[in-house]
Amino acid sequence: MSDVPILHFEKLTKRFPGVLALNGVTFSIRRGEVHALVGENGAGKSTLIKIVTGVYQKTAGEIFFEGKPVNFSSPHEALKNGIAAIYQEFNLIPALTVAENIFMGHHFVTRRFFVDWNRMRKEAQELMRFLDVDIDVDQKVRDLGVAKKQVVEIAKALSHRARVLIMDEPTATLAQKEIEGLFRIIKFLKSEGVTIIYVSHRLEEIYEICNRVTVLRDGQHIATRDVQDVTMEDLIRMMVGREVVERFPRVSHTAKGEVLRVEGLTRRGVLENISFSLRKGEILGIAGMVGSGRTELLRAIYGVDPIDEGKIYIRGKEVRIRSPLDAINHGIALLPEERKVHGLVLLLSVLDNLGLPVLPLVSVRGFIQDGRLRAIAQDMVQHMNIKTPSLFQKVMYLSGGNQQKVVLGKWFARNCDIYLFDEPTRGIDVGAKVEIYHLMNRLLERGASIIMVSSELPEILAMSDRILVMREGRIVGELSREEATKEAILRLALGRREEYASVG
Amino acid sequence: MPVLVEEKSTQIFQKFFVFWDRVGILLAFLVVFVMFGALTPVFFHPLNILNVIRQVSIIGVIAVGMTFVILLGGIDLSVGSIVAFTGIIAAGFQVKWGGSLFLSIVVPLLIGGGIGFLNGFISTKGKLHPFIVTLGMMSIFRGATLLVAQGKPISGMSPAFRFIGAGMVGPIPFPVILFLGCVVIAGIVLKRTVFGRYIYAIGGNEEAALLSGIMVERYKISAFTLLGFLSGLSGLILTSRLNSGELVAGQGYELDVIASVVIGGTSLMGGEGGVYGTLIGALLIGVVSNGLNLLGVQPYWQMIVKGIIVIFAVLLDRLKRRFRTA
């Protein structure tokens, strides 16, 4: 029995009108392993997951679950059979307690109508103890941080006796230390016999916790290998289908002159006495844990959130920035953390999105001059290498990498020269990441300067000229390119040595 | 490359929906139109048709403004009360306060715009949902109407003022010209101006719009002001046509107005839709009312039917979204 794979896909095919999202995919997932699923955006990972969990119906082929062919018609049915998925957007109800969320859909009841609170809380506490985490089950979910919400999701899956747990980019929004916590839980679940399908763009992680890895590309199965038998370079080559010369194509520049100086910037309770300067032609990295104030710093400089104290100088002149419009007029551009939430109007076309900050420049008495707008947008599409069938395509239908290029393109057209990047490559596949780095280099060549907030240490180490480390709303250290190491950043970001030691 | 194929196919879906958005509502309108015509021959009489579109104009002018507000993801329940209040002010200037044609037109329009401005200002600066702000305003200006009128309608307008609601330009009623003028101008504004494009951007993703340097609050306040102004215009038309500033004028208009916009395919979530849909939506509502009237159906039924149509229209919008995200 144990050599029967827990899941086996046989020539699995999914056709959407006009697209072959999965094309005869055949591979197996062994019982009790952590199995990585990798591939570029659009490779078919999500489609595969959604078919397994009953969100989509397959077009052809078979899925065998514990040796028996299955075809779940809904996520509910998949869950009942022991297959649970945790997506990047959590399925939790913020206003309800942890215990209620865990047992959502199968509340314990007494006398058929009344919620059995005692039993629910007890079982929830037991699950928390089982996972060895410290979460108060009576707390409202909205008061939890991302990492704890994720644990609640895991507990929820376990409450359904899930034997297969699918995790989609589980570390995307976690800080380094929280990732360690998650990995501990994953290893524990594995030892308890739970099979985990792990989807991630972060290849380093796959080597850390996965047993085997399956690569999909363009809807086809490329390979399934033991992790130790395959190098990262091989993986990348299989994912993109060609050689990627360099993962971090950093061109060195000579930084000269100060373009931006921040002095004593304070936003009570969030940012404390922040001072630094940005030189022309450099990338200034900002590292730190999630919640250390990195995003808030960018937002404050950009005029989204008001500041209580502090001065901002641009090219030596003090400026007052009260709104994003002020910031833009001073040549500052922000590329926000979550593209879909903060960066793009998904319902609108590529043209409309590229036009957002430039419309006033291409209009006469409020009337948009279509020709000029289109020329600029066309220029951007070519310049940024945005893959879109036309300017009129709604951005919601573009891939993540191309969406990010649209966000960037908006500012190119505006000739901004101070760029604030917040997690510029989150959720973007390897090939598109390299393209974004190239675009950053090109910005520097044009004389622009970049502040880059990133949680991905390899990225921040490879791309920054200097790195500021933040903790609890303060800047706790500055590292030059030579001094910067993963350890040095973590030591500063975590503050205490012993804590650092536990992270490894 | 399969990614491109995917984009092409979704583009076909999009085209289908664009087609459905425009033609679906038009088809529904034509079906209803022909149906009533078949049931009651009087319906097709030119006089009746003119009557229908004249009635539609009063609601329609407001619906044009409401399209802007709903595109932004907002709502305004105070429009009916603005109609009554501006109407009574116009009547006051006509009958009681000196009879100046200029003042009886300009002052109500300014007041309408002013109330709209307040709606926008309070809801954006106070970070309140416009639903509750305009609900309050709805009550305030119904009360203010009664106060100004001292509980009695004000009647007897000058012939010049009567032209606004009852005049004809050739064979076409003047209000219809006003209404269609508003539709065409609004259509151009939404499509071709910075103001219009930013309305869509804000409705589609307010945060992204803000971060792109759009003064979101300013645009919201402008849209509410425009809606208040057009409600004032509607108040003028109604008062002129009735030859009287009525206390209950505009009561229940908010439903007809919002219904016109929603039936016309503008999403209550904001960011999607347009004013030409609103035109058809308003006509559909008008035709249904008129048709049921001619058929001798009790007026009570009209309200029920209208309610059903609204819910159906919103359901359709929801289905469309679900299909698109799948």
Side-chain angles (χ1 to χ4, degrees):
Chain A
M1 183 68 193
S2 66
D3 55 344
V4 175
I6 190 153
L7 269 172
H8 177 73
F9 307 102
E10 184 65 42
K11 296 205 174 73
L12 191 64
T13 299
K14 173 68 185 178
R15 189 187 297 278
F16 290 109
V19 210
L20 207 50
L22 283 179
N23 188 2
V25 169
T26 301
F27 72 99
S28 306
I29 287 169
R30 292 181 194 145
R31 188 180 306 273
E33 71 171 342
V34 180
H35 194 114
L37 194 56
V38 299
E40 296 203 284
N41 291 336
K45 292 168 300 182
S46 321
T47 309
L48 182 80
I49 290 172
K50 286 184 174 162
I51 292 176
V52 179
T53 54
V55 179
Y56 293 159
Q57 305 309 309
K58 61 181 197 268
T59 310
E62 282 291 352
I63 301 174
F64 296 90
F65 179 44
E66 304 190 309
K68 290 185 285 290
V70 291
N71 191 10
F72 301 127
S73 59
S74 70
H76 182 72
E77 197 184 336
L79 200 54
K80 263 193 347 205
N81 284 279
I83 299 180
I86 300 175
Y87 296 99
Q88 269 176 277
E89 289 89 28
F90 297 140
N91 265 318
L92 297 172
I93 301 167
L96 300 185
T97 66
V98 169
E100 270 181 290
N101 267 288
I102 291 175
F103 293 101
M104 187 50 56
H106 56 153
H107 274 89
F108 293 112
V109 290
T110 55
R111 276 175 280 153
R112 303 180 79 201
F113 288 114
F114 300 102
V115 175
D116 188 346
W117 280 99
N118 285 332
R119 175 143 178 239
M120 206 158 76
R121 292 185 53 233
K122 236 178 65 202
E123 301 251 349
Q125 277 161 353
E126 227 153 81
L127 275 169
M128 291 303 159
R129 220 169 298 134
F130 179 69
L131 291 172
D132 192 21
V133 286
D134 179 30
I135 295 177
D136 176 5
V137 300
D138 294 323
Q139 230 183 332
K140 297 246 163 75
V141 161
R142 71 161 156 251
D143 299 327
L144 301 179
V146 186
K148 287 188 172 176
K149 279 186 186 144
Q150 195 171 50
V151 173
V152 175
E153 280 273 18
I154 293 171
K156 192 170 143 184
L158 294 180
S159 81
H160 284 276
R161 313 246 170 279
R163 279 162 291 157
V164 176
L165 186 57
I166 302 168
M167 306 183 97
D168 189 7
E169 294 272 347
T171 57
T173 50
L174 296 187
Q176 191 66 34
K177 199 180 162 213
E178 296 167 333
I179 293 175
E180 302 296 330
L182 174 70
F183 285 178
R184 183 188 62 73
I185 292 177
I186 289 177
K187 283 173 191 155
F188 171 68
L189 290 177
K190 186 180 144 193
S191 72
E192 292 287 317
V194 178
T195 307
I196 289 162
I197 301 178
Y198 190 89
V199 181
S200 181
H201 282 307
R202 299 188 181 174
L203 299 181
E204 290 89 355
E205 294 174 0
I206 288 165
Y207 286 92
E208 206 171 329
I209 52 156
C210 297
N211 303 97
R212 294 200 305 156
V213 53
T214 289
V215 182
L216 296 180
R217 187 176 74 226
D218 297 343
Q220 281 173 321
H221 177 252
I222 303 298
T224 297
R225 301 273 179 81
D226 282 339
V227 166
Q228 64 260 34
D229 294 347
V230 57
T231 65
M232 204 178 289
E233 285 65 40
D234 291 337
L235 271 185
I236 293 172
R237 197 177 317 114
M238 287 192 279
M239 283 163 67
V240 297
R242 64 190 146 78
E243 204 83 35
V244 174
V245 191
E246 251 187 311
R247 279 182 71 202
F248 298 108
R250 176 77 171 105
V251 184
S252 71
H253 296 278
T254 40
K256 44 189 183 281
E258 171 191 284
V259 286
L260 172 80
R261 182 151 48 92
V262 173
E263 268 182 19
L265 190 142
T266 299
R267 177 168 157 73
R268 254 167 239 126
V270 185
L271 299 169
E272 188 100 12
N273 194 19
I274 295 211
S275 303
F276 68 90
S277 72
L278 174 70
R279 290 195 289 263
K280 187 172 169 158
E282 74 169 346
I283 296 182
L284 177 63
I286 299 185
M289 301 289 135
V290 172
S292 61
R294 303 170 307 172
T295 297
E296 290 75 8
L297 175 60
L298 297 190
R299 285 173 66 92
I301 295 173
Y302 195 61
V304 189
D305 303 324
I307 58 177
D308 296 317
E309 272 169 60
K311 290 182 177 142
I312 296 173
Y313 298 87
I314 290 175
R315 281 172 225 91
K317 274 212 323 240
E318 186 182 349
V319 295
R320 307 227 62 173
I321 297 173
R322 289 197 201 81
S323 68
L325 186 59
D326 288 346
I328 294 163
N329 287 335
H330 284 115
I332 305 177
L334 174 74
L335 285 96
E337 192 177 355
E338 290 180 67
R339 287 186 300 280
K340 290 184 185 178
V341 184
H342 304 306
L344 294 166
V345 186
L346 294 174
L347 286 170
L348 294 185
S349 65
V350 172
L351 178 72
D352 281 327
N353 273 282
L354 286 173
L356 281 180
V358 289
L359 284 190
L361 304 184
V362 295
S363 50
V364 176
R365 278 186 223 97
F367 278 87
I368 300 159
Q369 300 198 298
D370 243 8
R372 279 171 70 194
L373 176 62
R374 237 175 259 187
I376 289 180
Q378 194 59 57
D379 203 37
M380 280 311 121
V381 166
Q382 260 161 27
H383 199 76
M384 306 301 255
N385 193 19
I386 300 169
K387 290 192 193 85
T388 172
S390 89
L391 285 177
F392 305 103
Q393 179 77 338
K394 291 189 180 179
V395 290
M396 61 196 290
Y397 299 114
L398 299 187
S399 69
N402 282 305
Q403 288 180 343
Q404 185 67 306
K405 288 187 226 164
V406 172
V407 180
L408 244 173
K410 291 199 304 198
W411 303 117
F412 256 58
R414 195 64 209 239
N415 277 321
C416 289
D417 59 0
I418 299 171
Y419 287 81
L420 315 177
F421 282 82
D422 198 355
E423 304 283 5
T425 62
R426 172 174 292 171
I428 294 181
D429 57 57
V430 181
K433 271 185 186 175
V434 176
E435 266 190 278
I436 300 279
Y437 299 138
H438 278 304
L439 288 170
M440 290 167 104
N441 283 331
R442 212 170 328 147
L443 280 172
L444 299 182
E445 274 160 34
R446 295 193 348 174
S449 314
I450 293 173
I451 299 178
M452 177 177 75
V453 163
S454 174
S455 296
E456 289 192 48
L457 289 178
E459 168 175 287
I460 209 158
L461 285 168
M463 296 302 293
S464 313
D465 293 289
R466 287 184 298 144
I467 298 170
L468 300 177
V469 184
M470 290 188 70
R471 171 162 45 92
E472 291 167 8
R474 294 161 212 264
I475 291 179
V476 289
E478 178 180 331
L479 300 168
S480 68
R481 195 168 167 74
E482 292 70 38
E483 301 167 313
T485 60
K486 205 170 169 179
E487 291 73 26
I489 291 178
L490 283 174
R491 194 179 306 134
L492 285 165
L494 292 169
R496 293 198 306 269
R497 283 198 77 88
E498 58 272 34
E499 228 175 315
Y500 152 65
S502 76
V503 171
Chain B
M1 235 176 99
V3 178
L4 263 176
V5 179
E6 185 174 20
E7 282 167 359
K8 266 196 187 119
S9 81
T10 51
Q11 214 182 11
I12 292 166
F13 275 113
Q14 273 172 270
K15 280 194 176 132
F16 169 76
F17 271 126
V18 169
F19 173 82
W20 173 253
D21 267 0
R22 293 230 176 97
V23 182
I25 171 70
L26 200 61
L27 281 180
F29 172 72
L30 288 177
V31 167
V32 171
F33 192 72
V34 170
M35 189 187 75
F36 279 124
L39 289 172
T40 57
V42 198
F43 182 81
F44 279 143
H45 195 281
L47 276 182
N48 185 54
I49 300 288
L50 276 184
N51 186 31
V52 171
I53 52 177
R54 186 187 302 147
Q55 267 169 354
V56 165
S57 302
I58 293 171
I59 295 289
V61 166
I62 313 173
V64 169
M66 188 68 87
T67 307
F68 283 75
V69 167
I70 291 183
L71 277 174
L72 281 170
I75 195 88
D76 188 342
L77 303 179
S78 67
V79 291
S81 294
I82 300 179
V83 167
F85 187 68
T86 52
I88 211 79
I89 295 289
F93 274 106
Q94 277 286 298
V95 179
K96 290 181 174 172
W97 310 319
S100 157
L101 179 67
F102 178 74
L103 289 181
S104 53
I105 290 174
V106 172
V107 175
L109 290 178
L110 290 181
I111 288 179
I115 300 172
F117 175 84
L118 277 182
N119 280 332
F121 187 82
I122 296 170
S123 55
T124 53
K125 299 291 178 189
K127 312 236 179 287
L128 299 172
H129 197 287
F131 182 91
I132 200 70
V133 175
T134 58
L135 186 66
M137 288 293 192
M138 173 178 170
S139 176
I140 291 172
F141 285 95
R142 183 62 62 189
T145 304
L146 296 169
L147 207 62
V148 169
Q150 285 299 311
K152 284 198 301 268
I154 303 173
S155 309
M157 312 294 143
S158 69
F161 186 80
R162 292 276 287 142
F163 181 80
I164 302 171
M168 303 284 279
V169 178
I172 305 167
F174 186 58
V176 174
I177 293 176
L178 285 177
F179 173 41
L180 293 181
C182 287
V183 170
V184 171
I185 293 171
I188 292 170
V189 167
L190 284 177
K191 182 92 193 148
R192 307 261 302 126
T193 67
V194 178
F195 180 75
R197 297 325 291 166
Y198 280 181
I199 295 273
Y200 282 98
I202 294 167
N205 187 343
E206 193 173 326
E207 180 82 11
L210 179 73
L211 294 180
S212 298
I214 297 172
M215 303 300 264
V216 171
E217 295 188 345
R218 206 175 285 174
Y219 284 94
K220 284 188 167 177
I221 294 172
S222 304
F224 274 101
T225 307
L226 175 71
L227 173 54
F229 178 86
L230 290 175
S231 304
L233 179 60
S234 173
L236 289 182
I237 298 171
L238 183 66
T239 305
S240 161
R241 200 169 106 76
L242 298 176
N243 195 16
S244 169
E246 294 286 334
L247 304 176
V248 293
Q251 211 152 43
Y253 274 21
E254 58 282 343
L255 176 79
D256 284 17
V257 168
I258 294 168
S260 302
V261 177
V262 173
I263 291 169
T266 297
S267 167
L268 281 172
M269 315 285 287
E272 264 187 308
V275 75
Y276 299 112
T278 302
L279 169 66
I280 309 285
L283 285 173
L284 183 68
I285 292 260
V287 163
V288 168
S289 293
N290 177 266
L292 292 176
N293 259 336
L294 293 181
L295 286 172
V297 178
Q298 273 187 310
Y300 314 129
W301 277 105
Q302 289 182 28
M303 298 173 75
I304 293 172
V305 170
K306 267 191 261 180
I308 292 171
I309 294 176
V310 172
I311 293 173
F312 187 73
V314 180
L315 263 180
L316 212 66
D317 179 53
R318 185 46 51 98
L319 282 179
K320 187 179 79 183
R321 279 164 180 273
R322 186 187 301 172
F323 190 76
R324 186 175 49 204
T325 49

